[in-house]
Amino acid sequence: MSTVIEVEHLHKRYGKTVAVDDVSFTVGQGEIFGILGRNGAGKTTTVECLAGLRTPDGGTIRVLGRDPLRDHAEVTRRVGVQLQDGQLQDRLRVGEAMWLYASFYPDPADPAELLDRLGLTGRERTPYAKLSGGQKQRLSIALALVGRPRIAVLDELTTGLDPHARRDTWDLIEAVRAGGVTIVLVTHFMPEAERLCDRIALIDDGRVVHTGTPAELLARAGESTLEDAYVTLTRRTA
Ligand code: ATP
């Protein structure tokens, strides 16, 4: 399996706050790689650095062999990003947003088909401001995938989705991965990590405390559920 993402000794601070403190990991082609950790652990900052949306203070990042900052245009063409708070303009309609994003890429997916997979058919003329929270979330997933990315970075993929929409989204992500796409998934939802992730990095206080398959995490923590393993491995002793 070839390596498509390499993060080495990543550091990022905001003023006095150290958000990412020496994070290293690699992701292989076609993997679903989960990033788990408590609120404020540095997950979003890490994936924003991967996507070239933030400038690290130290370390190196290679995405498909490229530097996300220096080779920004090339990385952006190949990496689809669904970020938290990925707000669009209120008056932009669902269909307009999809066609606009599709036009940025040389070989986009069919917007109508993606909207259908995400349960948004019939919403093409709805302005962004009039979508429900879950519909906004589903649109952000569609926008992350419309460019047929080689890597999709999904930050809190199914937060706010109802159980049907969540399961449909999981099926979609598995189908996307079956097509060879690598997925980086930030999640707080343990059933999601259990169902989707091949490997997981647990991040705490800006540091990777464990990387491994879900089974390796369970074994290391001596627990039988991922949630218990997560809590055990990120428990603070102070
Ligand atoms: P969550 O699970 O709550 O989304 P996270 O693991 O994604 O959290 P980050 O958003 O990366 O965490 O934040 C890491 C740290 O950096 C936190 O202490 C946060 O307050 C701080 N931080 C994040 N973004 C900024 C910013 N733009 N300016 C200042 N501090 C920031």
Side-chain angles (χ1 to χ4, degrees), residues 193-222:
E194 225 145 27
R195 157 91 185 251
L196 291 178
C197 295
D198 301 307
R199 285 192 309 129
I200 289 169
L202 272 188
I203 298 192
D204 204 21
D205 261 347
R207 291 179 158 263
V208 176
V209 294
H210 187 81
T211 311
T213 63
E216 286 166 351
L217 248 72
L218 297 184
R220 159 119 186 250

mmCIF file of all heavy atoms in Angstrom, residues 193-222:
data_model
loop_
_atom_site.group_PDB
_atom_site.id
_atom_site.type_symbol
_atom_site.label_atom_id
_atom_site.label_comp_id
_atom_site.label_asym_id
_atom_site.label_seq_id
_atom_site.Cartn_x
_atom_site.Cartn_y
_atom_site.Cartn_z
ATOM 1 N N ALA A 193 -16.499 5.443 14.038
ATOM 2 C CA ALA A 193 -15.089 5.027 13.932
ATOM 3 C C ALA A 193 -15.000 3.504 13.818
ATOM 4 O O ALA A 193 -14.228 2.966 13.019
ATOM 5 C CB ALA A 193 -14.320 5.514 15.159
ATOM 6 N N GLU A 194 -15.824 2.813 14.605
ATOM 7 C CA GLU A 194 -15.827 1.345 14.607
ATOM 8 C C GLU A 194 -16.229 0.801 13.238
ATOM 9 O O GLU A 194 -15.637 -0.136 12.726
ATOM 10 C CB GLU A 194 -16.835 0.858 15.653
ATOM 11 C CG GLU A 194 -16.332 -0.251 16.511
ATOM 12 C CD GLU A 194 -16.881 -0.137 17.940
ATOM 13 O OE1 GLU A 194 -17.976 0.435 18.131
ATOM 14 O OE2 GLU A 194 -16.196 -0.625 18.843
ATOM 15 N N ARG A 195 -17.255 1.416 12.667
ATOM 16 C CA ARG A 195 -17.780 0.920 11.387
ATOM 17 C C ARG A 195 -16.827 1.227 10.230
ATOM 18 O O ARG A 195 -16.621 0.403 9.347
ATOM 19 C CB ARG A 195 -19.141 1.577 11.144
ATOM 20 C CG ARG A 195 -19.617 1.642 9.721
ATOM 21 C CD ARG A 195 -20.444 0.457 9.288
ATOM 22 N NE ARG A 195 -20.752 0.546 7.877
ATOM 23 C CZ ARG A 195 -21.956 0.813 7.383
ATOM 24 N NH1 ARG A 195 -22.967 0.975 8.194
ATOM 25 N NH2 ARG A 195 -22.135 0.891 6.078
ATOM 26 N N LEU A 196 -16.219 2.438 10.259
ATOM 27 C CA LEU A 196 -15.523 2.877 9.053
ATOM 28 C C LEU A 196 -13.987 2.757 9.087
ATOM 29 O O LEU A 196 -13.373 2.494 8.060
ATOM 30 C CB LEU A 196 -15.869 4.349 8.759
ATOM 31 C CG LEU A 196 -17.299 4.660 8.318
ATOM 32 C CD1 LEU A 196 -17.458 6.164 8.128
ATOM 33 C CD2 LEU A 196 -17.670 3.934 7.030
ATOM 34 N N CYS A 197 -13.385 2.962 10.272
ATOM 35 C CA CYS A 197 -11.931 3.217 10.263
ATOM 36 C C CYS A 197 -11.083 1.946 10.210
ATOM 37 O O CYS A 197 -11.305 1.002 10.959
ATOM 38 C CB CYS A 197 -11.524 4.019 11.493
ATOM 39 S SG CYS A 197 -12.224 5.667 11.501
ATOM 40 N N ASP A 198 -10.086 1.962 9.321
ATOM 41 C CA ASP A 198 -9.081 0.887 9.299
ATOM 42 C C ASP A 198 -8.052 1.115 10.388
ATOM 43 O O ASP A 198 -7.597 0.187 11.029
ATOM 44 C CB ASP A 198 -8.354 0.879 7.940
ATOM 45 C CG ASP A 198 -9.318 0.683 6.812
ATOM 46 O OD1 ASP A 198 -10.095 -0.285 6.857
ATOM 47 O OD2 ASP A 198 -9.329 1.531 5.884
ATOM 48 N N ARG A 199 -7.652 2.366 10.547
ATOM 49 C CA ARG A 199 -6.696 2.738 11.603
ATOM 50 C C ARG A 199 -7.148 4.052 12.215
ATOM 51 O O ARG A 199 -7.837 4.837 11.574
ATOM 52 C CB ARG A 199 -5.281 2.879 11.039
ATOM 53 C CG ARG A 199 -4.625 1.521 10.743
ATOM 54 C CD ARG A 199 -3.137 1.674 10.472
ATOM 55 N NE ARG A 199 -2.878 2.692 9.483
ATOM 56 C CZ ARG A 199 -2.029 3.691 9.634
ATOM 57 N NH1 ARG A 199 -1.318 3.815 10.743
ATOM 58 N NH2 ARG A 199 -1.850 4.584 8.679
ATOM 59 N N ILE A 200 -6.678 4.252 13.432
ATOM 60 C CA ILE A 200 -7.099 5.436 14.191
ATOM 61 C C ILE A 200 -5.877 6.059 14.860
ATOM 62 O O ILE A 200 -5.030 5.334 15.400
ATOM 63 C CB ILE A 200 -8.126 5.015 15.275
ATOM 64 C CG1 ILE A 200 -9.463 4.617 14.620
ATOM 65 C CG2 ILE A 200 -8.337 6.119 16.309
ATOM 66 C CD1 ILE A 200 -10.436 3.938 15.553
ATOM 67 N N ALA A 201 -5.799 7.384 14.817
ATOM 68 C CA ALA A 201 -4.835 8.102 15.665
ATOM 69 C C ALA A 201 -5.634 8.755 16.786
ATOM 70 O O ALA A 201 -6.607 9.472 16.523
ATOM 71 C CB ALA A 201 -4.096 9.159 14.853
ATOM 72 N N LEU A 202 -5.233 8.468 18.012
ATOM 73 C CA LEU A 202 -5.856 9.134 19.165
ATOM 74 C C LEU A 202 -4.999 10.338 19.499
ATOM 75 O O LEU A 202 -3.795 10.195 19.735
ATOM 76 C CB LEU A 202 -5.829 8.209 20.380
ATOM 77 C CG LEU A 202 -6.961 7.238 20.602
ATOM 78 C CD1 LEU A 202 -6.793 6.575 21.970
ATOM 79 C CD2 LEU A 202 -8.290 7.949 20.532
ATOM 80 N N ILE A 203 -5.614 11.512 19.502
ATOM 81 C CA ILE A 203 -4.862 12.734 19.795
ATOM 82 C C ILE A 203 -5.350 13.304 21.122
ATOM 83 O O ILE A 203 -6.558 13.357 21.377
ATOM 84 C CB ILE A 203 -5.031 13.769 18.661
ATOM 85 C CG1 ILE A 203 -4.472 13.191 17.353
ATOM 86 C CG2 ILE A 203 -4.343 15.077 18.994
ATOM 87 C CD1 ILE A 203 -4.322 14.196 16.242
ATOM 88 N N ASP A 204 -4.406 13.706 21.957
ATOM 89 C CA ASP A 204 -4.766 14.334 23.227
ATOM 90 C C ASP A 204 -3.784 15.471 23.472
ATOM 91 O O ASP A 204 -2.570 15.273 23.333
ATOM 92 C CB ASP A 204 -4.688 13.288 24.355
ATOM 93 C CG ASP A 204 -5.575 13.680 25.528
ATOM 94 O OD1 ASP A 204 -6.514 14.492 25.324
ATOM 95 O OD2 ASP A 204 -5.341 13.189 26.633
ATOM 96 N N ASP A 205 -4.323 16.636 23.802
ATOM 97 C CA ASP A 205 -3.458 17.784 24.072
ATOM 98 C C ASP A 205 -2.444 18.034 22.967
ATOM 99 O O ASP A 205 -1.273 18.324 23.237
ATOM 100 C CB ASP A 205 -2.686 17.527 25.383
ATOM 101 C CG ASP A 205 -3.349 18.240 26.536
ATOM 102 O OD1 ASP A 205 -4.221 19.095 26.280
ATOM 103 O OD2 ASP A 205 -2.990 17.947 27.687
ATOM 104 N N GLY A 206 -2.879 17.873 21.737
ATOM 105 C CA GLY A 206 -1.998 18.149 20.602
ATOM 106 C C GLY A 206 -0.972 17.080 20.306
ATOM 107 O O GLY A 206 -0.099 17.273 19.458
ATOM 108 N N ARG A 207 -1.066 15.934 21.008
ATOM 109 C CA ARG A 207 -0.076 14.859 20.787
ATOM 110 C C ARG A 207 -0.776 13.557 20.419
ATOM 111 O O ARG A 207 -1.865 13.282 20.923
ATOM 112 C CB ARG A 207 0.740 14.615 22.052
ATOM 113 C CG ARG A 207 1.654 15.775 22.371
ATOM 114 C CD ARG A 207 2.442 15.516 23.634
ATOM 115 N NE ARG A 207 3.620 16.348 23.607
ATOM 116 C CZ ARG A 207 4.816 15.942 23.201
ATOM 117 N NH1 ARG A 207 5.010 14.690 22.823
ATOM 118 N NH2 ARG A 207 5.839 16.771 23.170
ATOM 119 N N VAL A 208 -0.140 12.758 19.593
ATOM 120 C CA VAL A 208 -0.688 11.434 19.275
ATOM 121 C C VAL A 208 -0.358 10.504 20.437
ATOM 122 O O VAL A 208 0.811 10.310 20.764
ATOM 123 C CB VAL A 208 -0.082 10.876 17.971
ATOM 124 C CG1 VAL A 208 -0.598 9.467 17.706
ATOM 125 C CG2 VAL A 208 -0.396 11.778 16.799
ATOM 126 N N VAL A 209 -1.403 9.957 21.068
ATOM 127 C CA VAL A 209 -1.134 9.049 22.186
ATOM 128 C C VAL A 209 -1.175 7.587 21.743
ATOM 129 O O VAL A 209 -0.634 6.723 22.410
ATOM 130 C CB VAL A 209 -2.086 9.268 23.385
ATOM 131 C CG1 VAL A 209 -1.839 10.622 24.007
ATOM 132 C CG2 VAL A 209 -3.547 9.130 23.000
ATOM 133 N N HIS A 210 -1.800 7.316 20.612
ATOM 134 C CA HIS A 210 -1.793 5.943 20.095
ATOM 135 C C HIS A 210 -2.232 5.960 18.644
ATOM 136 O O HIS A 210 -3.103 6.717 18.259
ATOM 137 C CB HIS A 210 -2.745 5.054 20.901
ATOM 138 C CG HIS A 210 -2.651 3.604 20.524
ATOM 139 N ND1 HIS A 210 -1.657 2.775 21.004
ATOM 140 C CD2 HIS A 210 -3.390 2.840 19.692
ATOM 141 C CE1 HIS A 210 -1.802 1.563 20.489
ATOM 142 N NE2 HIS A 210 -2.854 1.578 19.688
ATOM 143 N N THR A 211 -1.604 5.108 17.832
ATOM 144 C CA THR A 211 -2.067 4.901 16.457
ATOM 145 C C THR A 211 -2.191 3.402 16.235
ATOM 146 O O THR A 211 -1.289 2.651 16.618
ATOM 147 C CB THR A 211 -1.055 5.446 15.417
ATOM 148 O OG1 THR A 211 -0.685 6.758 15.787
ATOM 149 C CG2 THR A 211 -1.651 5.480 14.019
ATOM 150 N N GLY A 212 -3.277 2.961 15.635
ATOM 151 C CA GLY A 212 -3.404 1.532 15.350
ATOM 152 C C GLY A 212 -4.778 1.195 14.833
ATOM 153 O O GLY A 212 -5.635 2.075 14.681
ATOM 154 N N THR A 213 -4.984 -0.075 14.559
ATOM 155 C CA THR A 213 -6.307 -0.537 14.125
ATOM 156 C C THR A 213 -7.240 -0.464 15.335
ATOM 157 O O THR A 213 -6.768 -0.450 16.484
ATOM 158 C CB THR A 213 -6.243 -1.987 13.636
ATOM 159 O OG1 THR A 213 -5.858 -2.809 14.752
ATOM 160 C CG2 THR A 213 -5.247 -2.174 12.501
ATOM 161 N N PRO A 214 -8.547 -0.461 15.109
ATOM 162 C CA PRO A 214 -9.466 -0.500 16.261
ATOM 163 C C PRO A 214 -9.153 -1.691 17.169
ATOM 164 O O PRO A 214 -9.156 -1.531 18.401
ATOM 165 C CB PRO A 214 -10.842 -0.615 15.599
ATOM 166 C CG PRO A 214 -10.681 0.095 14.287
ATOM 167 C CD PRO A 214 -9.286 -0.242 13.834
ATOM 168 N N ALA A 215 -8.826 -2.852 16.598
ATOM 169 C CA ALA A 215 -8.517 -4.032 17.436
ATOM 170 C C ALA A 215 -7.267 -3.785 18.281
ATOM 171 O O ALA A 215 -7.209 -4.178 19.459
ATOM 172 C CB ALA A 215 -8.323 -5.261 16.550
ATOM 173 N N GLU A 216 -6.270 -3.114 17.707
ATOM 174 C CA GLU A 216 -5.048 -2.804 18.474
ATOM 175 C C GLU A 216 -5.340 -1.832 19.619
ATOM 176 O O GLU A 216 -4.767 -1.946 20.704
ATOM 177 C CB GLU A 216 -3.971 -2.238 17.547
ATOM 178 C CG GLU A 216 -3.342 -3.301 16.658
ATOM 179 C CD GLU A 216 -2.534 -2.724 15.503
ATOM 180 O OE1 GLU A 216 -2.569 -1.490 15.262
ATOM 181 O OE2 GLU A 216 -1.874 -3.532 14.807
ATOM 182 N N LEU A 217 -6.235 -0.893 19.364
ATOM 183 C CA LEU A 217 -6.625 0.050 20.419
ATOM 184 C C LEU A 217 -7.308 -0.675 21.574
ATOM 185 O O LEU A 217 -7.017 -0.403 22.747
ATOM 186 C CB LEU A 217 -7.585 1.096 19.843
ATOM 187 C CG LEU A 217 -7.062 2.508 19.743
ATOM 188 C CD1 LEU A 217 -6.032 2.633 18.649
ATOM 189 C CD2 LEU A 217 -8.205 3.463 19.471
ATOM 190 N N LEU A 218 -8.214 -1.594 21.235
ATOM 191 C CA LEU A 218 -8.910 -2.367 22.277
ATOM 192 C C LEU A 218 -7.901 -3.168 23.091
ATOM 193 O O LEU A 218 -7.947 -3.179 24.327
ATOM 194 C CB LEU A 218 -9.929 -3.332 21.657
ATOM 195 C CG LEU A 218 -11.094 -2.729 20.870
ATOM 196 C CD1 LEU A 218 -12.048 -3.831 20.407
ATOM 197 C CD2 LEU A 218 -11.855 -1.713 21.695
ATOM 198 N N ALA A 219 -6.947 -3.806 22.392
ATOM 199 C CA ALA A 219 -5.965 -4.653 23.078
ATOM 200 C C ALA A 219 -5.083 -3.801 23.982
ATOM 201 O O ALA A 219 -4.827 -4.155 25.137
ATOM 202 C CB ALA A 219 -5.128 -5.407 22.051
ATOM 203 N N ARG A 220 -4.626 -2.672 23.478
ATOM 204 C CA ARG A 220 -3.735 -1.819 24.275
ATOM 205 C C ARG A 220 -4.435 -1.321 25.538
ATOM 206 O O ARG A 220 -3.845 -1.244 26.608
ATOM 207 C CB ARG A 220 -3.260 -0.649 23.404
ATOM 208 C CG ARG A 220 -2.775 0.548 24.178
ATOM 209 C CD ARG A 220 -1.327 0.922 23.926
ATOM 210 N NE ARG A 220 -0.925 1.989 24.803
ATOM 211 C CZ ARG A 220 -0.671 3.235 24.430
ATOM 212 N NH1 ARG A 220 -0.739 3.547 23.157
ATOM 213 N NH2 ARG A 220 -0.318 4.141 25.300
ATOM 214 N N ALA A 221 -5.729 -0.981 25.393
ATOM 215 C CA ALA A 221 -6.452 -0.437 26.545
ATOM 216 C C ALA A 221 -7.006 -1.544 27.436
ATOM 217 O O ALA A 221 -7.418 -1.272 28.569
ATOM 218 C CB ALA A 221 -7.595 0.449 26.045
ATOM 219 N N GLY A 222 -7.056 -2.781 26.932
ATOM 220 C CA GLY A 222 -7.657 -3.874 27.696
ATOM 221 C C GLY A 222 -9.155 -3.680 27.849
ATOM 222 O O GLY A 222 -9.743 -4.010 28.877
#
